[in-house]
Amino acid sequence: MKLDATHLTLFAWFVVGGETSSTCRQPPGHVLMQVAVSNLTRVEPDLASKGPRLQGSVCDQLIASLPCNQSLVLNESFDMNARCPGHCPYHAMDQRHGMSFCTASCVAASQCARYNPDAPVADQEAGTCRGALVDGCYRPKLDGTDSCLQCAAWYEQTPSGQCQVQYLWVAYLVAAISGCALLLILGYLVHLHCRPITNLQGLNEGLGARSQQKYRDPTDRQLWPWMTNLCRTEVGGPGLMLHFNFLAAVVVWALAVGLGWVVLAYLVDTELLELGRRPYGTAYRNCVLVAFGHSTQQRLMWAKLLYLAMVYLATFLGSLAHGLRQRRLFRQSNVQDTMKAFSALVKGLPSIPASEVHVESDLAHVVSSLTGQVVIGVSVCWNFGHVKAEVDQLLQHDTSASTSDVPDVHSGWLHRTVMQVEKALLRRLEGSQEEPQEGAALELLRGVRSSSEAYVVFETRAGRDRALSTLSQGFSFRGHHVSMAAARHEPRSIHWQNYDGSCQSVKWWKLLKGCCCILAGLVTWACVFYLPYAWSILTFNYEGGRQPGILYSLCFSIIVVIGNVSMYQICATVADHVGFKYKETREACYMILYFISVSLNVLLDLAMTYYMSFAIMVHLGFRTHEGVPLTKLPYFVQRFEAYAIQRAMGQNLYEYAFPSTFLLPFLGEPAVAVGGLLRLGMLLVRSHPEMGCRATMSLLAAQDFEFGRYADTLLNVALAVGMFFFPGGYTHWIFFMLAISQAYIYALDHWRVLRVVPASTFASMQIDWWCQVLLAPCCGLLAACLIFKGNCHLGFCLSHQHLLLACLAAWLLHIVLHLLLLIFVVPLGDSEAKSLAPHLRQYQQVAAMEPCSWFSANPIHCLRSKHVHRHGVPCSFFTPGQESTMEVNESIGCYFSSKNIKVQDASNLKSDFRMNKVVLHLDPDEENVICP
């Protein structure tokens, strides 16, 4: 009889229908429809899923008003913000019939416990029935109050039924110690700032040396103009130019992908821009959110798959085209006459003591007599890593360090103690100031032997090439067969102290130990920083739609930045410890280690985020669109594909990427890593007149330019690509933020290269090639995502067990294919670049403009010139910032003569210092100010 009455009710609903409301075209009898559906649900539970679909077919708009005490099966037809009538103002999830679907009713406060015993509290602000709101509660009371019966681990129960953190005094103690340390640091900085200026001359010298170290136009030795196009101009060699081209390519790619997604959304459905961004909240809203999200995602999946396929093909082909373009740019730059254009690398030399006089002349004579070409000189690579400190001391001994004793106007014991500590530290930085004993250099050279390599410098590039052609099969030198090949690196990019003759197995062993250190750092970071954050998120109470506030987001951003910075420092130390001969090889190793370590860092973050999201969604009672609780899903793929997890992971990935990873680590770089360190160094130098030139230059010198940007950018690209695994609401935002962040990084590096970092030359494309290799797994993520999202949509339907294997196979297959094309196909499209002008320049002309030559960059060569060969004007050792001390001696290949260079100066800033201000500027009328 009830079923007949229900059918009659449905018929009456259709008969009286026809009027519309402002929100939804609902007939006046739509409430009767609700009652009819509710009756159908109670009589025939298997029709529960049919009711909402019948409802949705009648009403094209969302249902915004709900009846009282009627059980409604929720789906996408309901408005997420629908409110209950005033006499039954609370949403209650109906658990009375044990149905698997999200069923809600509008009830009065007294009815909350009857409809859902687990949510007996009536929350007037949220308009819902919820559970007890107690952070850290494991088993809440069910008496309708916000109180707890049993608290979770690391919490203790209070007499009022609340939970408070145990050992809270530890957190207060840590906060107090941190606060005291911060106050001490601030007090020390204030003390530095208020000290009298007693070493303005030393500050002048240090700033002048810092200024001379910067990149300068070799034609006039002036700073490069601000508007220099670093994508086309070789300021620091072709390797640096390729770096800027890569950054620019990522900006264009990210902007194109983001704009393409927006255009697709407006052509197909703007829900693509909202899907996954609607916030969760009350139990009612969460049920409607899942139903809406799943149905919309499935309805628009064809558009996403089409766009994903287009992005995959465009990115894959674009990365190969980018690799070809980079090779051509390198070829075009390689035709220019730089130091390496005149040099050939000889390998296979016997071990010769550095005290022997005729090593260079004998090798030069053999090569010249066999080839008929003019040889300027030979620079032998010596094994002196074990005595590097002594060599540096001999080369950079400062006999002009001030020893004047400036009266101390402050007589307080604290001031004297701080000054003494600083002086002790500065003496360690300065090294020994004792005058080297007579014959110390010769004694040291007797313990140094040559490596198996040397650089032969020819007068012209054409002469070098003819000599290589003549000696293509090698030649004999002192009973050893040696080979000769064109030099691939510039003198600035060679670590001369690392020619220690160690075999590759030693370097691999050092690298393995370094990887263990990286893993240890990763585990330490996870235990010290990440686990406390995860614990605080998991013990947060989300009842009634509560979400962690901005403090949690700030802590998460700080944790991500700390993780990235710690990996940066560890990887840099490991790369230095391996002992590579060339700076490009060190930078490539550093980039690979940093990319892998930060990728592991990100994978750990994402894994923890998944488990936290799953635990939170389970706590909030989320179900699948079919009404199955998340805890009853047996497989990872099923859980991962549940819309509640998809939405939470998409939001977490976006928040992880921006600003935590994309932008925050780089925002503080100009103020802290550049300006802050310079300011601290200036404050120390100006108050210590006893400081020598070496310590002054060390404190005021800028950090070298490193290629960690490659790894950062590749990681950012991988994070942006990963967003395709999740609903599309954040897709355009993450790519737009990537483009903006990379544009900022490009501008930051542009400024650092032109105005901050010491000059260095990156002559090979080794770093960029490894970057192209690491692009393969990033592109492979798109292939894996296409398989994952296309399951049961692209003509195949794999089981949950096999889907992950298929994604992994697609990722690996793409990497293999990408690398094969990169190694064997891309070079085929590259042809030898033709020089725009004939090679008429000689070595003398290039060496006259470049202070760092094959001879001046070699420390042992300079010591031999002075103490073994006893040249009247010995070969000057190249020290960045002291170019003006270098002397010309054409007979030994030294041609560089310093010109007047505009430098940063502090002599005119005396009044600014007295007002506790520092102003850096370029004074065009200032003479060179350098350390003697």
Side-chain angles (χ1 to χ4, degrees), residues 407-711:
D408 196 348
V409 297
H410 294 279
S411 57
W413 66 270
L414 181 60
H415 172 79
R416 291 196 301 271
T417 302
V418 172
M419 292 294 290
Q420 290 300 323
V421 172
E422 288 180 359
K423 289 178 180 179
L425 295 175
L426 292 174
R427 279 195 295 269
R428 292 174 60 90
L429 186 63
E430 186 72 41
S432 175
Q433 289 296 318
E434 297 180 0
E435 184 74 22
Q437 297 181 357
E438 185 70 23
L442 285 175
E443 185 65 27
L444 181 143
L445 291 175
R446 291 190 186 98
V448 174
R449 303 189 70 85
S450 67
S451 69
S452 61
E453 299 180 17
Y455 289 93
V456 179
V457 181
F458 295 87
E459 186 178 34
T460 63
R461 176 197 283 255
R464 190 274 311 264
D465 294 340
R466 284 193 288 268
L468 290 175
S469 177
T470 303
L471 302 178
S472 60
Q473 302 301 319
F475 60 97
S476 178
F477 178 73
R478 294 191 178 183
H480 288 72
H481 181 78
V482 298
S483 60
M484 192 166 68
R488 298 176 55 192
H489 301 271
E490 297 286 345
R492 284 182 184 263
S493 63
I494 295 178
H495 295 301
W496 297 90
Q497 72 276 10
N498 290 336
Y499 284 88
D500 54 3
S502 59
C503 58
Q504 292 297 322
S505 59
V506 174
K507 289 184 171 58
W508 281 108
W509 173 243
K510 292 180 179 180
L511 193 59
L512 179 60
K513 292 192 295 184
C515 292
C516 294
C517 294
I518 292 172
L519 289 177
L522 181 61
V523 172
T524 302
W525 168 82
C527 294
V528 174
F529 295 100
Y530 203 92
L531 287 183
Y533 169 78
W535 172 79
S536 66
I537 287 293
L538 290 175
T539 56
F540 186 85
N541 195 300
Y542 297 86
E543 289 290 344
R546 289 180 71 221
Q547 298 185 35
I550 190 173
L551 182 61
Y552 286 83
S553 300
L554 179 61
C555 291
F556 181 73
S557 299
I558 293 175
I559 288 171
V560 172
V561 172
I562 290 175
N564 291 343
V565 171
S566 61
M567 290 299 103
Y568 167 86
Q569 295 294 339
I570 295 174
C571 293
T573 303
V574 171
D576 290 332
H577 179 69
V578 173
F580 293 107
K581 298 177 183 178
Y582 307 114
K583 190 170 184 178
E584 285 96 336
T585 310
R586 183 265 180 198
E587 293 295 329
C589 175
Y590 162 69
M591 179 192 69
I592 296 171
L593 289 176
Y594 183 55
F595 177 77
I596 294 175
S597 60
V598 178
S599 297
L600 293 175
N601 197 342
V602 171
L603 289 177
L604 176 62
D605 288 340
L606 295 180
M608 293 294 293
T609 300
Y610 165 76
Y611 284 110
M612 287 192 298
S613 300
F614 183 78
I616 293 169
M617 296 300 107
V618 169
H619 177 76
L620 292 176
F622 270 96
R623 298 169 178 257
T624 67
H625 66 285
E626 296 175 343
V628 180
L630 297 181
T631 52
K632 293 186 178 181
L633 298 176
Y635 301 110
F636 165 77
V637 173
Q638 290 177 311
R639 295 180 176 185
F640 188 79
E641 286 185 319
Y643 182 77
I645 303 299
Q646 285 268 298
R647 185 220 159 274
M649 289 290 292
Q651 179 181 353
N652 290 335
L653 177 61
Y654 177 75
E655 292 174 351
Y656 179 89
F658 184 83
S660 302
T661 305
F662 284 2
L663 191 59
L664 277 184
F666 314 103
L667 282 180
E669 190 170 323
V672 178
V674 179
L677 292 179
L678 175 60
R679 170 66 172 169
L680 180 62
M682 293 175 68
L683 292 176
L684 283 170
V685 169
R686 72 176 191 173
S687 59
H688 283 277
E690 79 285 350
M691 187 181 300
C693 182
R694 185 176 180 183
T696 300
M697 290 178 57
S698 299
L699 286 173
L700 296 183
Q703 295 181 351
D704 290 335
F705 189 86
E706 293 183 329
F707 286 87
R709 294 284 194 263
Y710 272 121

Side-chain angles (χ1 to χ4, degrees), residues 73-220:
V73 179
L74 304 178
N75 72 350
E76 67 271 16
S77 302
F78 289 83
D79 188 349
M80 295 182 191
N81 300 311
R83 307 292 293 185
C84 291
H87 53 284
C88 56
Y90 301 101
H91 292 294
M93 303 310 295
D94 194 348
Q95 302 294 327
R96 296 175 299 170
H97 306 291
M99 293 168 40
S100 61
F101 292 92
C102 285
T103 307
S105 296
C106 288
V107 301
S110 59
Q111 297 175 301
C112 284
R114 180 161 62 90
Y115 275 78
N116 186 0
D118 294 329
V121 181
D123 191 325
Q124 185 176 2
E125 182 180 354
T128 186
C129 297
R130 58 168 175 79
L133 193 59
V134 181
D135 288 336
C137 183
Y138 179 73
R139 188 159 63 93
K141 286 185 178 180
L142 301 178
D143 57 355
T145 62
D146 290 325
S147 56
C148 186
L149 285 176
Q150 181 181 353
C151 295
W154 302 100
Y155 282 89
E156 59 182 1
Q157 191 170 1
T158 64
S160 60
Q162 301 298 302
C163 296
Q164 68 179 15
V165 181
Q166 288 181 324
Y167 310 111
L168 196 58
W169 62 271
V170 176
Y172 289 142
L173 179 61
V174 172
I177 294 175
S178 301
C180 292
L182 181 60
L183 288 176
L184 286 175
I185 293 173
L186 291 176
Y188 175 70
L189 292 178
V190 171
H191 179 259
L192 272 178
H193 193 72
C194 296
R195 289 180 189 174
I197 303 171
T198 58
N199 189 23
L200 187 60
Q201 180 182 357
L203 184 60
N204 245 345
E205 295 171 350
L207 290 177
R210 177 188 174 97
S211 182
Q212 292 190 60
Q213 293 177 21
K214 298 176 182 179
Y215 282 105
R216 295 179 178 273
D217 190 337
T219 57
D220 57 6

Side-chain angles (χ1 to χ4, degrees), residues 822-842:
L822 187 64
I823 296 172
F824 297 106
V825 177
V826 170
L828 297 179
D830 182 26
S831 58
E832 289 287 342
K834 296 181 179 180
S835 177
L836 299 179
H839 298 292
L840 300 178
R841 302 179 72 187
Q842 295 183 340

Side-chain angles (χ1 to χ4, degrees), residues 199 398-407 423 433 688-692:
N199 189 23
D398 184 10
T399 58
S400 62
S402 174
T403 57
S404 59
D405 188 12
V406 179
K423 289 178 180 179
Q433 289 296 318
H688 283 277
E690 79 285 350
M691 187 181 300

Side-chain angles (χ1 to χ4, degrees), residues 217-431:
D217 190 337
T219 57
D220 57 6
R221 299 295 297 165
Q222 303 303 312
L223 294 175
W224 290 91
W226 274 106
M227 299 308 293
T228 302
N229 183 0
L230 296 181
C231 289
R232 290 290 182 183
T233 306
E234 283 191 56
V235 170
L240 190 62
M241 182 179 65
L242 297 181
H243 166 75
F244 280 95
N245 276 274
F246 172 70
L247 292 181
V250 172
V251 172
V252 174
W253 171 80
L255 192 61
V257 174
L259 288 175
W261 184 256
V262 173
V263 171
L264 176 71
Y266 278 98
L267 291 176
V268 177
D269 193 333
T270 54
E271 290 290 356
L272 285 170
L273 304 179
E274 291 291 331
L275 194 60
R277 293 177 55 204
R278 297 188 179 185
Y280 60 83
T282 64
Y284 166 84
R285 181 182 181 87
N286 294 342
C287 283
V288 178
L289 178 67
V290 169
F292 159 79
H294 176 77
S295 62
T296 306
Q297 193 173 29
Q298 296 302 311
R299 177 171 58 87
L300 299 176
M301 186 59 72
W302 68 270
K304 180 169 185 174
L305 291 174
L306 177 62
Y307 187 74
L308 184 56
M310 294 171 58
V311 170
Y312 168 62
L313 290 176
T315 304
F316 184 19
L317 298 178
S319 62
L320 295 177
H322 169 74
L324 176 59
R325 181 175 181 273
Q326 295 286 77
R327 290 181 65 88
R328 289 181 174 176
L329 286 174
F330 178 75
R331 290 286 190 185
Q332 292 171 4
S333 65
N334 203 37
V335 301
Q336 300 183 14
D337 290 330
T338 59
M339 277 291 165
K340 71 174 184 178
F342 304 94
S343 178
L345 175 62
V346 175
K347 292 184 177 182
L349 295 178
S351 178
I352 304 171
S355 58
E356 183 176 333
V357 179
H358 303 293
V359 180
E360 294 91 349
S361 59
D362 287 351
L363 182 58
H365 176 72
V366 170
V367 172
S368 178
S369 61
L370 291 175
T371 62
Q373 304 299 321
V374 177
V375 175
I376 297 294
V378 172
S379 180
V380 178
C381 303
W382 302 93
N383 177 9
F384 69 97
H386 57 291
V387 291
K388 181 179 181 301
E390 291 82 352
V391 171
D392 291 342
Q393 194 65 34
L394 287 170
L395 290 171
Q396 301 180 10
H397 181 71
D398 184 10
T399 58
S400 62
S402 174
T403 57
S404 59
D405 188 12
V406 179
D408 196 348
V409 297
H410 294 279
S411 57
W413 66 270
L414 181 60
H415 172 79
R416 291 196 301 271
T417 302
V418 172
M419 292 294 290
Q420 290 300 323
V421 172
E422 288 180 359
K423 289 178 180 179
L425 295 175
L426 292 174
R427 279 195 295 269
R428 292 174 60 90
L429 186 63
E430 186 72 41

